Amino acid sequence: MPQIHPTAVVEEGAVIGEGTRIWHYGHVMAGARIGRGCSFGHACFVAGGVVVGDRVKVQNHVSLYDGVVVEDEVFLGPSCVLTNVRNPRAGVDRRGAFVGTRLRRGCTVGANATVVCGVTVGEYGFVGAGAVVTRDVPDYGLVVGNPARQVGWVSRRGVRLPPVDEDGVTRCPESGEGYVLRDGVMQRYELA
């Protein structure tokens, strides 16, 4: 059973997985689909067209608007922003022109970061706090700043990877897992 705080509003027709927690003043609209074992902090909003995977952690004051897809094990830091319209105007109805945003498995979006619509944050990618992401983040990519730029790579544990050796190989300093960089693409790699 999901745990829904008494101050939260979960509209009829929302699907919420087992073990998911919706905390104080959250609002989940009809049609939203949230997986198992997730946590939504204080004052989070989930629109009706949003899909959220399993074991996702959404910190306080995050809104997920139509067009956002959040895969498994994503972490969304406090007050991060995900948009869904490229050129919003109060006097122009753009409800039929939402632009999708995809947050791939295991990625992190730091506190107060903004992810502009149409962007994909790759698997285990890491968006630093306060960054403004205007283009795709590669798998395992570490981006910071405004506009966000890639400054390195991270492991599945979110630890910055050391520079690669002459074979394009590096190891996570925390877990010892191997990674290989080939043609600008970082992948987990089984090292001998």
Side-chain angles (χ1 to χ4, degrees):
M1 290 272 306
Q3 294 178 339
I4 311 298
H5 191 272
T7 62
V9 174
V10 177
E11 295 180 9
E12 188 173 331
V15 177
I16 300 177
E18 185 176 332
T20 288
R21 297 178 310 265
I22 310 293
W23 293 108
H24 302 80
Y25 303 104
H27 183 176
V28 181
M29 293 184 69
R33 293 185 322 203
I34 298 173
R36 299 180 316 258
C38 298
S39 177
F40 284 78
H42 174 83
C44 289
F45 170 77
V46 183
V50 171
V51 177
V52 176
D54 296 334
R55 298 172 305 284
V56 171
K57 292 186 179 177
V58 182
Q59 301 300 304
N60 298 344
H61 304 284
V62 174
S63 294
L64 302 177
Y65 299 111
D66 285 326
V68 173
V69 175
V70 181
E71 295 183 5
D72 295 345
E73 299 174 350
V74 168
F75 178 90
L76 300 176
S79 301
C80 72
V81 176
L82 304 164
T83 67
N84 68 349
V85 175
R86 290 188 200 269
N87 53 344
R89 292 286 196 199
V92 179
D93 183 354
R94 300 214 195 277
R95 277 178 263 187
F98 293 148
V99 179
T101 299
R102 180 172 290 273
L103 304 175
R104 303 285 315 277
R105 180 185 185 97
C107 75
T108 292
V109 178
N112 294 306
T114 298
V115 178
V116 176
C117 58
V119 165
T120 296
V121 177
E123 288 191 10
Y124 302 99
F126 200 107
V127 175
V132 178
V133 181
T134 60
R135 59 182 174 217
D136 290 352
V137 176
D139 294 352
Y140 303 101
L142 170 62
V143 300
V144 298
N146 180 5
R149 68 195 187 299
Q150 187 174 353
V151 295
W153 303 97
V154 294
S155 70
R156 287 187 180 201
R157 296 176 81 94
V159 175
R160 191 166 185 166
L161 290 170
V164 298
D165 65 17
E166 62 278 353
D167 296 319
V169 175
T170 186
R171 284 185 185 269
C172 173
E174 188 173 284
S175 69
E177 291 177 323
Y179 293 83
V180 63
L181 181 63
R182 297 270 191 266
D183 299 320
V185 176
M186 185 65 77
Q187 295 178 330
R188 193 162 165 244
Y189 182 66
E190 293 298 324
L191 298 174

